[in-house]
């Protein structure tokens, strides 16, 4: 997806990516995507796989054009491209572009995403061998450049001592930075700490505030947690909390959280049943 604040060069790369989706019918038929990619992706590979504009972008990417490299990294990683998706090739282009991003000190958000995504590939062993140390390196690079999800990954690494010495204080520093950027996942993690009094002083009020902020950012998980919280504090004398629980479970359901749907329909049915008993129609 193209960022509205992206520089002209990168917009050109985004445009190329859009064009690539319309060129899929002109691609040369191939079966090599069912096997591991070669350790190198060269000009002959471009010729074997792509035709027309896509072929041209591929060659430009190999020559070091960052916008073209971005287009190629998206081409092989985006699920929307169906049979073209190949994580080995996606890794090749991500690591190549990630190194260029650092070398040329590129700061557009789409390029910072590449740093983060490279960390994900190493972290999950996608297209390359799993390597948590390298994953932390790329998460750190993205975090230093303001990527909120990368900040959360760095925070969790310090908190749990993953590839780095365990450092709760440093973990909280990075977690707070991600929270300040309104990242819903970070808000949930911090809320859980306040709720349990883990690493920081227990504060239920701050926990609920953070969960509400994450819920407003369309976090299905935050809505579900809030639903459970209000349900646990609901009673016949406190119907307000029950209604809040139903509302939050409903919101999580709208955001495709299936367990939230289950809770919502169970509570909604019970509420309607109770209402019919209290207010029978004759």
């Amino acid at each position: 997806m193209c960022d509205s604040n992206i520089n002209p060069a990168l917009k050109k790369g985004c445009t190329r990516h859009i064009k690539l989706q319309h060129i899929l019918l002109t691609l040369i038929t191939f079966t090599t995507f069912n096997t591991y990619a070669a350790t190198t992706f060269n000009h002959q590979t471009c010729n074997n796989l792509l035709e027309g504009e896509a072929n041209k972008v591929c060659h430009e990417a190999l020559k070091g054009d960052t916008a073209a490299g971005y287009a190629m990294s998206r081409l092989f990683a985006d699920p929307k491209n169906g049979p073209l998706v190949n994580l080995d090739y996606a890794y090749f282009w991500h690591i190549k572009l990630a190194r260029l991003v650092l070398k040329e000190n590129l700061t557009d958000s789409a390029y910072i995403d590449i740093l983060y995504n490279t960390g994900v590939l190493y972290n999950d062993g996608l297209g390359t061998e799993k390597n948590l140390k390298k994953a932390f390196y790329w998460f750190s690079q993205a975090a230093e450049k303001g990527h909120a999800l990368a900040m959360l990954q760095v925070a969790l690494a310090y908190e749990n001592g993953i590839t780095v010495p365990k450092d709760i204080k440093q973990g909280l520093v990075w977690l707070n930075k991600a929270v300040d950027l309104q990242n819903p996942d970070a808000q949930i993690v911090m809320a859980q700490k306040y709720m349990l009094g883990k690493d920081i002083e227990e504060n239920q009020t701050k926990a609920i505030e953070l969960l509400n902020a994450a819920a407003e950012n369309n976090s299905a998980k935050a809505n579900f947690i809030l639903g459970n919280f209000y349900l646990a504090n609901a009673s016949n004398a406190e119907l307000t909390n029950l209604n809040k629980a139903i509302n939050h479970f409903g919101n999580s359901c709208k955001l495709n959280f299936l367990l939230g749907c289950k809770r919502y329909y169970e509570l909604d049915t019970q509420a309607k049943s109770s209402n019919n008993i209290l207010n029978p129609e004759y």
Side-chain angles (χ1 to χ4, degrees):
M1 183 178 293
C2 299
D3 191 316
S4 59
N5 296 318
I6 213 165
N7 69 30
L10 192 53
K11 281 185 178 179
K12 184 178 179 181
C14 291
T15 302
R16 290 173 181 167
H17 172 57
I18 295 172
K19 286 182 179 179
L20 288 175
Q21 294 184 359
H22 295 286
I23 297 172
L24 298 185
L25 293 177
T26 69
L27 296 176
I28 299 174
T29 302
F30 56 89
T31 60
T32 55
F33 285 146
N34 293 323
T35 62
Y36 285 106
T39 54
T40 58
F41 191 113
N42 53 38
H43 291 283
Q44 186 58 51
T45 313
C46 293
N47 293 335
N48 290 341
L49 302 183
L50 307 168
E51 287 185 340
E53 181 67 19
N55 180 274
K56 179 181 178 181
V57 172
C58 185
H59 286 295
E60 290 178 353
L62 285 172
K63 294 175 182 177
D65 184 292
T66 52
Y70 176 79
M72 295 305 294
S73 68
R74 296 296 300 158
L75 177 66
F76 292 113
D78 194 337
K80 294 179 182 178
N81 289 333
L84 274 176
V85 174
N86 182 291
L87 293 178
D88 298 303
Y89 291 142
Y91 166 74
F92 173 88
W93 287 107
H94 270 81
I95 191 64
K96 180 180 177 65
L97 183 56
R99 290 166 178 162
L100 279 174
V101 170
L102 296 185
K103 181 180 179 181
E104 300 181 13
N105 194 29
L106 304 177
T107 58
D108 286 303
S109 61
Y111 288 139
I112 309 308
D113 283 342
I114 291 294
L115 299 179
Y116 173 76
N117 290 342
T118 302
V120 171
L121 293 175
Y122 275 119
N123 190 72
D124 296 344
L126 302 174
T128 185
E129 290 185 10
K130 184 171 183 174
N131 189 317
L132 297 182
K133 186 175 181 179
K134 290 183 178 181
F136 178 79
Y137 171 80
W138 288 108
F139 285 144
S140 297
Q141 294 300 319
E144 291 287 354
K145 292 181 179 294
H147 196 288
L149 273 176
M151 291 175 180
L152 177 58
Q153 291 296 332
V154 171
L156 294 175
Y158 277 117
E159 178 182 338
N160 297 291
I162 300 175
T163 76
V164 292
K166 188 172 183 177
D167 189 330
I168 300 299
K169 184 177 180 179
Q170 189 68 8
L172 285 172
V173 168
W174 282 106
L175 181 57
N176 274 304
K177 288 183 178 182
V179 169
D180 289 342
L181 291 176
Q182 304 298 309
N183 179 264
D185 291 330
Q187 291 170 327
I188 291 172
V189 172
M190 184 64 85
Q192 290 173 329
K193 287 184 178 295
Y194 276 121
M195 192 77 72
L196 301 174
K198 181 183 178 183
D199 304 328
I200 53 179
E201 185 177 350
E202 182 178 340
N203 190 318
Q204 298 286 313
T205 300
K206 286 187 177 181
I208 297 303
E209 287 177 355
L210 285 166
L211 287 172
N212 277 319
E216 290 174 3
N217 281 330
N218 294 320
S219 169
K221 185 177 180 181
N223 274 291
F224 184 75
I225 293 173
L226 283 168
N228 282 330
F229 173 80
Y230 286 117
L231 181 60
N233 290 279
S235 64
N236 291 332
E238 185 52 83
L239 292 178
T240 299
N241 281 344
L242 179 59
N243 289 332
K244 286 183 178 180
I246 292 174
N247 182 59
H248 282 295
F249 284 135
N251 288 338
S252 69
C253 180
K254 291 177 183 177
L255 294 166
N256 302 315
F257 196 74
L258 295 183
L259 191 53
C261 295
K262 183 175 183 294
R263 292 281 176 85
Y264 171 76
Y265 287 113
E266 288 175 348
L267 290 177
D268 189 53
T269 300
Q270 291 174 12
K272 289 179 179 177
S273 177
S274 299
N275 187 58
N276 288 336
I277 293 174
L278 295 172
N279 301 287
E281 295 182 0
Y282 297 98

